[in-house]
Amino acid sequence: MAKNTYDIIMSGNSDNNIRFTELRNMLESLNFGYRVKGDHFIYYRNDIPEIINIQSKGSKAKGYEVKQIRLLFKKYGI
């Protein structure tokens, strides 16, 4: 049974193997809005004072950004 992107991110086992489009789709499904500045996607949510700034590395998300997202989710109970 395949895990969903959220479960994979929260496990912390595959930070360097998350597809950028899957990360974006997951954030949008969790009601994050976004704006684009150049190649940076800046995600925000009204109930969270911090932003999420992501940028692709080819077709993958950057591992350190995936880790930052996981820590933010844990901090705010997402």
Side-chain angles (χ1 to χ4, degrees), residues 4 26 33 35 38 47 58:
N4 65 31
M26 183 206 62
R35 65 184 184 274
D47 59 335

Side-chain angles (χ1 to χ4, degrees), residues 40-52:
H40 293 260
F41 288 77
I42 303 165
Y43 284 84
Y44 56 88
R45 211 165 92 168
N46 291 335
D47 59 335
I48 298 175
E50 300 177 54
I51 61 166
I52 299 171

Side-chain angles (χ1 to χ4, degrees), residues 47-74:
D47 59 335
I48 298 175
E50 300 177 54
I51 61 166
I52 299 171
N53 187 351
I54 61 173
Q55 184 179 19
S56 69
K57 181 179 181 183
S59 65
K60 303 283 185 175
K62 294 181 179 181
Y64 74 92
E65 293 174 347
V66 173
K67 181 180 179 182
Q68 289 172 346
I69 291 169
R70 180 173 54 258
L71 294 174
L72 184 104
F73 284 3
K74 288 181 179 180

Side-chain angles (χ1 to χ4, degrees), residues 9 30 64:
I9 289 172
L30 292 171
Y64 74 92

